[in-house]
Amino acid sequence: AHTVITSSALNKANSSQEVFFEVDLPKTAFITNFSMEIEGQTYTGEVKEKEKAKKQYQKAVSTGQTAGLVRASGRKMEKFTVSVNIAANSNVTFILTHEELLQRKLGQYEIMTRVKPKQLVQHFEIVADIYEPQGIDFLEAYGTFISNELLPWWRKQSAHISFCPTLDQQRKCLGCEGTLIDGDFFIKYDVNRAETIGDIQIVNGYFVHFFAPSDLPRVPKNVVFVIDRSGSMRGIKMKQTKDAMLAILNDLAEDDYFGIVLFDSSISTWKESLTKATKENVSEAQQFIQGITDLGATNINDAVMKAVDMIMKGKRDKKVPERSVSMVILMTDGMPNSGESSVPHIQENVLLAMGGNMTLFCLGFGDDVDYSFLDVMSRQNKGLARRIYEGSDATVQLQGFYEEVASPLLSEVDLRYPDNLVNSLTTSHYKQLFNGSEIVVAGRLTDYSLDNFLVEVFAHGFEEDFIVKGQASAQEWDILYPEQEYIFGDYTERLWAYLTIQELLSKRSEKGNATAQALEMSLQYSFVTPLTSMVVTKPETDEEPEGPLIADKLTEGINAWTHSRISPTNFGESPFIQMDGDPHFMIELPEQEDALCFNIDDRPGTIFNLVRDQLAGILVNGQTIGDKKVAPDGKVNTYFGRFGIIHQGLGVRLEVTTHDITVSQDGKQAKLFCMDLQVTKDRSLTVTLRDSVRFVVILHKVWKQHPYHQDYLGFYTLDSHLLSPSVHGLLGQFYHGVQFEVKDMRPGEVPEKPDATMLVKGQELTVTRGWQRDFRWDVKNGENIPCWFIHSNGNGLIDGNHTDYIMSGLFKTV
């Protein structure tokens, strides 16, 4: 799917105004182009390696030049946001292009466009053209915001859908200014599937093979449901899980075998072995599900191990059918914090136990779950992870996912192509093929003049092996679609690149050069991926700069505290200093293209001096808080929960907590209570001290009924170079940089985290390569930043000992 979104805005006022362009994109889409036209000038985006793009953006912003930055995130729908100041009686046109591979689910492809203009639109239009050489089997188009069904015009091998409501048709009522256009526009369709071998399309030396055979009998499955019942699942999440499981159990076929494992800090089962899905057994299992109660911590490792043991025992005892498909479906909302809590160790244990004999599917509830952990573990075991978003439809999301994997048709599917004619092949072996889904393989041909080549598919079916062979030949697109050459000239090559990049990204932790290859291809094909960003800068002119333009694909909403759009920036080559988490300190050093990090471990309630600049009259202290109670593993986690900020020149004191903000000046005090932040997205407060530094405080919300954790704060410094050379403190001492050298890199305790020797401040320290979370760009999930970790509370890196920075009060200097 190749999508172009165009939006034009006219400022009719006699003064300049800020104009916003906002659109939600599917997370599987890669942005490939973004440009703006402002009064005859064109601003065009360029895809660069992420760090280079960030530097170009920072340089442009530091000189007052109009600039924007587009980066990728990991949400189901990503928000792309641009704001620009438009002069009086002027206009702007935004053009955004993205590409994605449509995934066939439950027998259909779906294109969803989120439509929320928030106002009446003079010329509103959605136009879609669908080209399918196999012919379209069925098609429907509708919007959640309109009651009447659309009637698209379509023909056998293509479809044209157009939705163009007038201003009056958009109005909520006669004479109203409010708009009905507020929701999602869907196009759903499928293609004819006459060929058993599937559809193979060859264009300009690249091929893509779509394989989705029909009319095959389903293969029985052995499935174990592993359900999190820890304390964090209390309330609506547990109710929705129960409701979904009751419906899912009803959908089991009588020749399926199933099991149920419940876990918190301990493990329990419905029955010790797999059980045939007879009506009586299903009914008994449903009664068991209704009796689930939530309590305790989260022992994911032992729960999955138990599920694997049940399946392996069923196979050894020959209790399950010989030709059957085995899978584990894990449902959780938390991090492993009981039993084995090391994420790499859990992933290693699961991979070893499953041994390629079964598939793991992971369903992660809400935004607090460690989704990357589940995603990697699923992919390692030939499955996939899916985030279940909290809301009224979570039960439907759970059922919908199960429906996708409920009916296996083939197992161990192997798609084969002539070795001497094909190279650079994407994944061509799949553990399973489910009813209504599709396998997509792409590759590059060594012989561009090739007219046809042999394709073979081997798999295990219900009663016998599935073997098909066929010849594929190049399509004559110019005959089939004579006026669409601009679309189809290189689409197979771009689809091959799209799939290859996604596979390389998924193998970054396993394959040494995967990251470099993914970056090279992302740049070659101009895809905005996790390794690249698109930087937009103003064209060179003699005109005065208009002010900063922020183009950011990762913002998720409006700043909850300040009601202003978050636009984090960094100026020049000064270090970027932050403190967040338990508590983690990180110093990013642009000049050395690296970062340093360390943790501070002390008792809850300790007050530390973070920044102290006597010349500027600025003081920042932070007080730690602990968990509500000690976790079963005995670890005491501490976080910052309170900051005190002083500007002596202005006579201002600012106290920021997780609950409220108190401002004091000249004996007068005002208290600002935070809104109910559970329904908001971004939570950030920017504190600007006149003609000086800016601090950003981020509020991290934790589920109110979490048995251990509570809300905490993160602290970030912008334009730290504006402070005086005498600035000090746990953070302040690094504002003007730190010189270091790393040598003698060697294996560490964890393979992916090597040790090294660091020369810093005249000392030699043993440091470890690791990662810390940076929440500037994504408040909920954060971004992993590589850094050199200094052990023992930063000893050797910080001046003195961490206890030297303990203060007697939130606004004290001693």
Side-chain angles (χ1 to χ4, degrees):
H2 181 100
T3 303
V4 181
I5 302 171
T6 303
S7 178
S8 297
L10 171 65
N11 178 16
K12 295 181 179 180
N14 293 323
S15 60
S16 63
Q17 293 192 89
E18 193 173 23
V19 175
F20 295 96
F21 172 63
E22 297 180 327
V23 62
D24 289 321
L25 307 177
K27 74 168 186 177
T28 54
F30 287 161
I31 291 179
T32 56
N33 185 53
F34 173 70
S35 62
M36 294 173 296
E37 297 175 8
I38 304 174
E39 290 300 294
Q41 292 189 359
T42 300
Y43 301 68
T44 302
E46 181 181 4
V47 175
K48 292 190 173 185
E49 188 270 330
K50 181 172 285 187
E51 193 62 32
K52 291 182 179 178
K54 186 169 75 171
K55 286 185 175 180
Q56 182 176 334
Y57 168 71
Q58 292 169 351
K59 182 179 179 181
V61 172
S62 66
T63 59
Q65 186 181 1
T66 297
L69 189 65
V70 182
R71 297 154 35 118
S73 68
R75 305 286 296 167
K76 182 179 181 181
M77 293 296 289
E78 299 174 324
K79 183 177 289 296
F80 179 91
T81 301
V82 177
S83 62
V84 64
N85 199 53
I86 299 298
N89 299 303
S90 299
N91 60 61
V92 58
T93 298
F94 302 99
I95 303 171
L96 175 71
T97 304
H98 66 80
E99 299 176 29
E100 64 173 322
L101 173 66
L102 300 182
Q103 297 179 348
R104 188 172 185 255
K105 297 177 182 177
L106 303 177
Q108 62 186 17
Y109 303 102
E110 176 184 286
I111 306 171
M112 188 190 84
T113 304
R114 184 148 292 171
V115 189
K116 293 179 177 289
K118 302 177 184 177
Q119 65 182 54
L120 298 175
V121 179
Q122 185 72 34
H123 300 290
F124 184 97
E125 185 175 37
I126 297 176
V127 173
D129 291 289
I130 301 173
Y131 303 94
E132 292 287 358
Q134 292 173 277
I136 296 173
D137 179 44
F138 81 91
L139 181 147
E140 62 176 346
Y142 63 92
T144 58
F145 45 85
I146 50 178
S147 56
N148 60 308
E149 184 177 353
L150 298 177
L151 299 175
W153 172 80
W154 62 295
R155 59 177 184 262
K156 184 177 180 181
Q157 288 180 316
S158 63
H160 177 85
I161 298 121
S162 179
F163 176 56
C164 311
T166 64
L167 278 174
D168 287 339
Q169 289 172 331
Q170 296 175 45
R171 297 183 196 276
K172 282 188 174 180
C173 58
L174 188 63
C176 293
E177 289 302 312
T179 177
L180 286 170
I181 311 297
D182 183 12
D184 299 324
F185 185 86
F186 290 94
I187 299 173
K188 298 181 179 182
Y189 75 97
D190 197 17
V191 300
N192 297 323
R193 300 184 182 275
E195 297 293 333
T196 307
I197 194 66
D199 178 33
I200 301 162
Q201 300 174 13
I202 305 172
V203 183
N204 292 344
Y206 290 83
F207 80 91
V208 57
H209 181 189
F210 300 94
F211 179 67
S214 56
D215 301 325
L216 293 178
R218 65 177 296 280
V219 177
K221 64 179 178 293
N222 316 308
V223 55
V224 180
F225 301 97
V226 182
I227 303 171
D228 187 345
R229 65 170 181 186
S230 61
S232 57
M233 287 287 290
R234 182 175 295 119
I236 186 65
K237 282 190 280 192
M238 183 54 74
K239 180 183 183 305
Q240 290 171 328
T241 301
K242 290 182 180 181
D243 291 344
M245 280 301 304
L246 294 176
I248 287 170
L249 291 172
N250 266 337
D251 288 339
L252 289 171
E254 286 217 10
D255 56 355
D256 289 338
Y257 282 76
F258 74 105
I260 301 172
V261 175
L262 306 181
F263 71 96
D264 43 54
S265 53
S266 60
I267 312 300
S268 63
T269 61
W270 167 53
K271 292 188 177 182
E272 278 297 309
S273 59
L274 294 180
T275 305
K276 194 171 186 181
T278 63
K279 291 182 180 179
E280 294 78 12
N281 288 335
V282 166
S283 178
E284 183 182 336
Q286 288 174 323
Q287 292 178 24
F288 175 78
I289 291 292
Q290 289 175 325
I292 297 176
T293 57
D294 43 77
L295 69 162
T298 308
N299 187 348
I300 291 176
N301 184 83
D302 291 353
V304 177
M305 290 296 104
K306 181 64 178 177
V308 173
D309 287 343
M310 292 173 69
I311 291 176
M312 297 303 291
K313 186 176 185 300
K315 289 185 173 183
R316 285 195 304 269
D317 297 345
K318 297 185 178 180
K319 185 175 182 179
V320 300
E322 182 179 354
R323 284 183 177 267
S324 58
V325 168
S326 299
M327 64 181 74
V328 174
I329 299 180
L330 168 65
M331 309 178 193
T332 182
D333 76 331
M335 286 275 291
N337 58 14
S338 178
E340 176 59 75
S341 58
S342 167
V343 165
H345 289 168
I346 296 173
Q347 291 170 337
E348 183 180 345
N349 293 343
V350 172
L351 180 61
L352 187 64
M354 290 194 166
N357 297 310
M358 61 197 76
T359 307
L360 175 66
F361 298 103
C362 295
L363 302 176
F365 290 85
D367 296 321
D368 295 328
V369 68
D370 187 347
Y371 185 75
S372 61
F373 155 57
L374 300 180
D375 183 44
V376 170
M377 190 163 63
S378 297
R379 284 189 279 103
Q380 287 176 337
N381 295 282
K382 309 303 180 184
L384 57 88
R386 185 75 54 81
R387 193 189 291 274
I388 303 299
Y389 293 88
E390 295 183 53
S392 60
D393 68 337
T395 299
V396 177
Q397 294 177 58
L398 285 167
Q399 289 178 246
F401 171 81
Y402 175 75
E403 288 176 10
E404 292 178 32
V405 300
S407 299
L409 301 182
L410 298 173
S411 64
E412 304 299 342
V413 186
D414 195 24
L415 299 97
R416 302 177 187 176
Y417 312 90
D419 292 336
N420 61 328
L421 297 177
V422 173
N423 62 23
S424 302
L425 200 65
T426 62
T427 299
S428 58
H429 181 86
Y430 287 80
K431 189 69 180 173
Q432 291 138 355
L433 173 69
F434 298 99
N435 187 37
S437 66
E438 180 176 61
I439 290 175
V440 182
V441 181
R444 185 165 52 189
L445 303 177
T446 57
D447 183 0
Y448 276 43
S449 62
L450 181 71
D451 288 329
N452 58 70
F453 71 112
L454 178 67
V455 178
E456 302 173 301
V457 180
F458 298 84
H460 299 315
F462 172 46
E463 294 179 338
E464 58 185 14
D465 286 347
F466 176 90
I467 303 174
V468 294
K469 300 180 181 182
Q471 293 281 341
S473 58
Q475 273 67 36
E476 295 180 333
W477 289 105
D478 54 341
I479 296 175
L480 197 57
Y481 303 114
E483 299 177 1
Q484 306 303 330
E485 183 180 354
Y486 75 98
I487 291 179
F488 300 112
D490 65 350
Y491 102 92
T492 48
E493 180 180 357
R494 294 189 67 79
L495 196 153
W496 165 79
Y498 174 98
L499 290 173
T500 302
I501 291 170
Q502 286 194 326
E503 291 179 8
L504 288 170
L505 290 173
S506 71
K507 295 175 181 176
R508 278 188 291 174
S509 60
E510 310 164 19
K511 194 174 177 182
N513 62 346
T515 300
Q517 291 178 327
L519 173 60
E520 182 182 358
M521 291 187 66
S522 299
L523 295 173
Q524 179 183 352
Y525 290 93
S526 294
F527 287 146
V528 178
T529 70
L531 301 177
T532 58
S533 298
M534 180 174 287
V535 63
V536 187
T537 54
K538 184 176 181 179
E540 297 293 334
T541 68
D542 295 330
E543 298 178 10
E544 291 296 317
E546 298 173 342
L549 158 76
I550 305 301
D552 209 346
K553 192 189 174 186
L554 43 102
T555 56
E556 296 179 7
I558 301 299
N559 179 326
W561 284 359
T562 61
H563 297 279
S564 62
R565 195 162 308 281
I566 297 174
S567 54
T569 57
N570 190 6
F571 289 80
E573 295 295 312
S574 60
F576 183 85
I577 315 294
Q578 69 172 64
M579 184 288 307
D580 216 323
D582 179 26
H584 309 305
F585 293 77
M586 184 164 67
I587 305 104
E588 290 188 62
L589 300 157
E591 289 184 348
Q592 294 177 259
E593 298 186 358
D594 213 335
L596 307 177
C597 52
F598 60 94
N599 296 348
I600 294 293
D601 295 316
D602 212 293
R603 293 171 299 172
T606 306
I607 299 173
F608 290 101
N609 174 241
L610 302 178
V611 182
R612 185 181 182 186
D613 189 342
Q614 291 180 312
L615 291 178
I618 293 172
L619 176 75
V620 181
N621 289 339
Q623 184 173 26
T624 60
I625 58 174
D627 282 337
K628 299 172 186 175
K629 59 181 180 180
V630 179
D633 60 6
K635 182 180 179 183
V636 178
N637 296 299
T638 57
Y639 311 87
F640 277 99
R642 189 169 166 234
F643 293 119
I645 302 172
I646 294 179
H647 192 299
Q648 292 177 341
L650 299 175
V652 172
R653 287 188 175 193
L654 183 69
E655 181 179 347
V656 182
T657 75
T658 56
H659 305 291
D660 53 48
I661 304 164
T662 304
V663 183
S664 304
Q665 185 173 25
D666 300 329
K668 297 179 180 179
Q669 187 179 93
K671 182 165 285 191
L672 312 174
F673 290 95
C674 301
M675 303 163 49
D676 178 7
L677 300 178
Q678 288 183 319
V679 297
T680 60
K681 306 288 185 179
D682 292 316
R683 298 178 285 268
S684 157
L685 170 71
T686 300
V687 180
T688 302
L689 301 180
R690 183 183 299 169
D691 301 322
S692 186
V693 68
R694 285 181 295 159
F695 301 119
V696 174
V697 180
I698 291 178
L699 171 63
H700 295 277
K701 295 289 288 183
V702 176
W703 180 51
K704 288 182 179 179
Q705 299 180 37
H706 196 288
Y708 307 112
H709 305 318
Q710 59 180 321
D711 298 349
Y712 64 95
L713 302 173
F715 187 86
Y716 296 73
T717 310
L718 307 181
D719 32 78
S720 57
H721 62 288
L722 296 177
L723 290 171
S724 76
S726 65
V727 65
H728 209 265
L730 274 174
L731 294 176
Q733 62 187 287
F734 301 110
Y735 284 167
H736 297 293
V738 58
Q739 294 298 317
F740 66 93
E741 180 183 343
V742 176
K743 65 177 185 179
D744 186 26
M745 193 178 302
R746 53 197 180 272
E749 291 185 10
V750 180
E752 62 267 24
K753 294 183 178 181
D755 286 343
T757 299
M758 176 177 288
L759 306 178
V760 59
K761 294 185 177 181
Q763 302 180 73
E764 287 193 359
L765 307 177
T766 297
V767 295
T768 302
R769 195 61 169 172
W771 297 268
Q772 293 286 33
R773 293 263 183 170
D774 183 347
F775 292 91
R776 279 177 293 166
W777 301 98
D778 187 341
V779 173
K780 285 192 175 289
N781 302 303
E783 175 184 4
N784 277 329
I785 302 295
C787 63
W788 289 108
F789 183 80
I790 291 85
H791 302 273
S792 304
N793 292 311
N795 280 347
L797 175 65
I798 64 174
D799 293 339
N801 190 282
H802 79 282
T803 56
D804 299 336
Y805 299 86
I806 295 177
M807 301 291 109
S808 59
L810 195 64
F811 297 102
K812 300 289 187 180
T813 58
V814 292

